[in-house]
Structure formats: C-alpha cells, structure tokens
Amino acid sequence: MASLKEICNGLPLNPLPPNRGRDPSVPHAPIRTPNLTAEEERLALRNALRYFPPSHHATLAPEFAQELQQYGHIYMYRFCPSFPLRAYPIDQYPCRTRQAAAIMLMIMNNLDPAVAQFPQELVTYGGNGQVFSNWAQFSLVMHYLSQMTEQQTLVMYSGHPMGLFPSLPSSPRAIITNGMVIPNYSSRDQYEKMFALGVSMYGQMTAGSYCYIGPQGIVHGTMLTVLNAGRRYLGTDDLRGRVFVTSGLGGMSGAQAKAAVIAGCVGVIAEVDEAPLIKRHKQGWLMEVTSSLDQCIKRIREVRSSKTPLSLGYHGNIVDLWERLLLEFERTGELLVDLGSDQTSLHNPFNGGYYPVPLSFHQANQLMSSDPARFRSSVKESLRRQIRAINKLADAGMFFWDYGNAFLLEAKRAGAEVEKGDGGATEFRYPSYVQHIMGDIFSLGFGPFRWVCTSGDPKDLAVTDDLAASVLEKICANVSDRIRQQYNDNIRWIREAGKHQMVVGSQARILYSDQRGRISIALAINQAIADGKVSAPVVISRDHHDVSGTDSPFRETSNVYDGSAFCADMAVQNFVGDAFRGATWVSLHNGGGVGWGEVINGGFGLVLDGSEDAANRASLMLSWDVSNGVARRCWSGNLNAFETIQRTMKENKQLQVTMPFPVQDEQVLDRALQG
C-alpha cells in the first residue's frame, strides 16, 4: 500500500497483497496458548475467512491455519499495511467529516511502531492490549471511517466493525465495546479461547479505545505517584538521593524511568527484554543501561551520595535485583532502596506479562508455549521469591506499594506472604497506590486529562501547553491549600513538559486536573482554534484510569469501603452518560490494568473544532465525566469526595446529588445487632 487513500479503500482483494509474514525488525507478541479443540480450530478458521469472498478461501485458509497453530491467533499478517502507520495530520485523511478523520488519526497513532509494543500483532501496550484482533478489521474500520457522514455511527464489537448505522449529528461517531462477556464466562481460559476464535478482545484501556498517547500518558501519573509517595512515606518533597526500585520498561511501564528523573530521585528499573531497554535508551527516557548487578549497586551508591537524579535500566530479572539489594543489606546493614513498586504486566502473568527467575527471556518464551503448566509453576515460585525479598527490605524500612497491575493479587494466588491480617477483600500487606497515594486525588476530582493536536504541529502543542498552564494558574489563586498543591504539581509539569521531550507519536499532552480545570482548559483550547491560534482541531480525552471511568476493586476503586468496590455501575453509567452528552466516541471494556474479569472501564474522545457546539459538548460532558465518580465516592463515605461534590453543587444549581448521612454512634449498630 502506497498511501492513506489506498488504506481507506477497504480490504485489498484484487489482487491480494503478497504475504510477507512477520517483520523480524519489530518486537512480537509471545505465542498464545488457547488450547483449542480440533472443532474450535475449525471454527476459528471459519470465523476468519468470513471477512473474505469464497474465491480467496483456498489461498488464505492454509496461511491462517498456520498462524493459528504457530502463534495461537490469526493476525492476518498478509494484510498488515506496508505503508508506515503513524499519526498523520488530520487534513491528510480522505474523509467526509473531521470527526472521523480524528478517530483515524488516533487509531494510526496506537499502531505506530514508535508507540505500539507489538505493532504487527496490533498490541499497543500491556502485552495484550489490542487495537483490533486482526488486520482485516483495521482495513474495514479505516474504510468505514472514510465513508462516514455526520448522520452515521460506527459500531465496534471487540475489534470487529459491525458497520455504519444511521444516527443523529449529536450522536457519537463511534461506539466501542471490548470483551463484554457474560460474567460467569469471563475467565482467563475462556478469554484465550474467545480471542483465538476472533469473537472477543482485550482492549486494555486506551489501546482498544484509540486514545493511547505513548508512555507520556503514564509518565505524569507515575511522577505524581512518586512525589506523593515521598510526601506520605518519607515526609519530604525533596527526593534527591532517594532510590526507587521497580520493573518493566515496555509499554506503560516504559514511563517509569522518565518519571523518576522528573521527580528528582534515582530510578532503578529491571527489564528482562533487551528490546524495550534499547528503545527507551534511544528515546532518551533511560539514561544508563547495565546487565551487571555489581554495576547497579555501584551506581546506586554513587548517586545516593551525590544526590544526582538518574534512571538506570538493569537488563535482568527484577527478582535477582531485589535479592541482591537484600544481600547488600544483610552484609552491610545499608538499605539501598527507599521506595519500591512493580509494573510488570501481571494482569497477564502466564502469557508474557511476567518472566520468572531463573529463566532467560528466550527460555521463558519457549517454555510458555511448550509446557504452559510448568511455566505457570515457575511464575508462582518466582513471585514467592520476589515477595520474600520485598518483605525483608520493607521490614528494614523500605516503603512498597502495588501499582495496580495485579502484582499483589497474583502474588497472593501464588501463595506468597502478602495477606493483611485484619484487611478487607481488597487489602493486602502493602497498599495499592490508589489506597494510599492517588485515591484521595480521585476523590478531589483530579485525574488524567489529555489532548492531541491533530495538526501534528509542535507549535500547536506549545500553544495549548501555555493555555493550560495559564488557566490553572488563574484557578489556583482561589482554592484550598490541598487543591492548590495538586494544581501546582501540574503547573510545574506542564511548564517543564517541553524540555523533557515527552512526545512519542502524536503531538499530545497530559496533566491531572479536576472538573473546573478540565472544562476551563477545553474551552480555552476551543477558543484558540476559533481564533486561529491553534491551526487544527484538538481531541480531548483521558485515561480510563480516572475518577469515574473505571470500576476496579484492586486499583481505581480499591479505597471504596462500603461493599461496592466489586460493582461496575459507575463505569457503565459513565460510558452511557458521555455518549449522550457530546462525546465524539465512547468505549466500554472488560479488563484493563489488573486483567480480564477483574475490572470494567470506559473512555471517550471529543473533537474540539472551535465551534460553539464543541464548547457546549465539552462543558456538559466533562462535568458529568468527573462528577459521576465523585458522587459515587461521596456515597461510599469518602470525606474528600463529600466536600468536592458539595462545592460542585453550589457552582452548578442543576446538579443535585443524593448525600449520605454517616452513622455517628457505632453503639446504635451494636445494640441493634445484639437483639
């Protein structure tokens, strides 16, 4: 394929493109092991062939069967475009509406090899966060979007484009669902079968909703997490000379190195796969790389002493690093680590999300497919070893938290000592970062708001950066000290974002803001487009990991203690409410962050084009998108959320929220229950 126009022509059938197979120059997803029966293999093949006229079945069936048997899934590599995929400026897409062109731009960014973790398998991040299930779906979606009018909506079922359906100009241009499986059948094993059959898909969060902006999307959140961890655990904003140890440099986890340096500390990040280490080092996100534990320890001691910020990538297993840090402590009494976490993809522990010690990266990949049972056993033993070292270092004074990647959940399932004696269903020996660090921020209405300049022009991004910082500085003058601290962290971030070279892929930015800040920034950007100060539309969005977007009892809602942490009304209501309040597209997913069957989450994209209609949509939708979650957190008993929603009701007289009356005398309960 030679152009965007050809990509938008639909499936290339006459003639078929050559089958080039897998490109050895890019990383590839681990081999999947769906354990299909012979009849299920026939069904998977039949399902794949229904995208093509029967005249091509004899040609395509053997290669699709080979992909299924060799890789555990039919990706349709033959139809992977040779044309470079990236976020081209919005005016280059052959579309009838700019809303459709904006969606195309966001899809192309998710599949850009500079952004995507496994581009040929259509995986954006997290090891299995799919944009689509196969390349036929990509071709059909791009074709539908090129044909779409403002009276049609594209309906997406787990990567499959069901088609364009008549709708209103005020309706979303795309409705996306991923992994919406009947609850009793939402198990990992069932998922592997459904994905192999091509009938369901794990969209992670912003992979399947077309809203990923590269690792910048998590850099900011990680920086805030580390800063607030320092405030909570170490009692200081000054993290110079403090050491943060963690693991993972792939998709989302690739942000940890950059975030550590921006926060001012020493980040030591273990990664078993050399490819992402090299990628992050070339991007300038990782300052140093070593495969020597001796060198790791030497550099930690040097920079602790000099108090120099550093990101150090250790090419090896995180378990070896934790055990070496413990050995150094036992030998010398010197605790070389202050803060610890983990960002391996433990939502997907047995299919490439976690690599057990002592296997090498290649040995683990081989065992994963040749002997899945033995590989599972190795993962569990490795997790037990990792926790043993962490526990001893924590007893010595290191502070550890779960980063919402199902680390403690999977460690518990592996039999590691992570139980909290008097804890509830969502509590472990160590807190999740939501419970201790970020949860109160969500309850104040702060979360990851982001935007993409569709012109692709860095000058437009610089203008929007300045607008956002100015808006927050103006708001900051009349807020409480607690909220002012959150604003100041984000003003510092946005003022310094340019010099930190955060952009990978689309010209995008992220910051944490509350409802007032988000609306004010969106309206300021929309006005700048109308005035010609920004040259093209801007897409606003957010991470699903936000105030209202996600029901996840081991992450986003882990600090909800009224028994509703396992309920998903908030995320579903958010998806529906965003749809009829003005979003350009909306998505709802099973899985994301902590894994399939563990979470329901949703997201949106909204195109700002400088019009009054766009301003009205943004105001109405963003109000709901934040207040929904704050109201739910208020009802669960969170005092910060109680104060936040009360203040919001005073500012907006149309908002009326049911407020809880707390039990003030616990003896009332005791007497009632005692008869």
Side-chain angles (χ1 to χ4, degrees), residues 423-487:
T426 63
E427 295 180 286
F428 298 98
R429 175 172 179 165
Y430 305 105
S432 82
Y433 75 119
V434 171
Q435 288 169 322
H436 267 207
I437 302 169
M438 299 297 278
D440 282 345
I441 292 177
F442 286 161
S443 299
L444 293 169
F446 280 81
F449 180 62
R450 55 178 62 168
W451 62 91
V452 176
C453 297
T454 66
S455 65
D457 188 345
K459 292 177 184 176
D460 280 346
L461 184 59
V463 170
T464 60
D465 281 350
D466 190 57
L467 281 171
S470 298
V471 163
L472 296 187
E473 285 166 350
K474 189 178 293 185
I475 295 173
C476 200
N478 299 298
V479 294
S480 67
D481 289 344
R482 185 158 194 193
I483 293 176
R484 184 175 294 111
Q485 182 186 65
Q486 300 305 325
Y487 274 130

Side-chain angles (χ1 to χ4, degrees), residues 488-667:
N488 284 338
D489 283 346
N490 284 280
I491 291 166
R492 170 188 162 193
W493 159 267
I494 205 76
R495 289 294 187 199
E496 297 180 357
K499 78 174 184 181
H500 288 300
Q501 300 177 329
M502 306 303 307
V503 170
V504 178
S506 58
Q507 292 293 318
R509 187 66 74 222
I510 184 171
L511 55 75
Y512 270 56
S513 183
D514 59 1
Q515 178 175 316
R516 184 180 175 190
R518 296 186 206 203
I519 294 172
S520 299
I521 291 169
L523 294 181
I525 292 174
N526 193 61
Q527 188 60 49
I529 298 167
D531 295 341
K533 296 176 183 177
V534 173
S535 66
V538 170
V539 173
I540 60 171
S541 182
R542 58 161 169 75
D543 197 344
H544 297 201
H545 165 68
D546 195 14
V547 180
S548 310
T550 298
D551 283 297
S552 179
F554 296 102
R555 197 162 83 170
E556 285 81 356
T557 47
S558 61
N559 67 333
V560 170
Y561 300 116
D562 68 345
S564 70
F566 293 90
C567 300
D569 300 81
M570 179 178 73
V572 175
Q573 287 280 358
N574 221 66
F575 163 80
V576 175
D578 284 353
F580 66 73
R581 286 181 174 87
T584 306
W585 73 95
V586 290
S587 66
L588 186 67
H589 300 185
N590 170 11
V594 295
W596 182 266
E598 305 284 359
V599 50
I600 298 293
N601 64 90
F604 74 86
L606 193 157
V607 177
L608 300 176
D609 59 8
S611 66
E612 184 179 346
D613 178 62
N616 292 335
R617 286 170 178 253
S619 296
L620 190 61
M621 199 217 71
L622 290 173
S623 296
W624 158 256
D625 195 66
V626 177
S627 284
N628 172 38
V630 177
R632 184 271 178 94
R633 293 167 193 276
C634 165
W635 185 247
S636 76
N638 187 288
L639 292 179
N640 283 329
F642 187 97
E643 294 171 4
T644 301
I645 204 67
Q646 276 194 321
R647 185 174 63 252
T648 308
M649 283 193 286
K650 287 179 182 177
E651 294 169 356
N652 184 351
K653 299 302 182 184
Q654 288 187 300
L655 177 66
Q656 298 181 41
V657 172
T658 305
M659 302 297 284
F661 293 97
V663 173
Q664 296 179 339
D665 182 1
E666 290 292 320
Q667 292 183 359

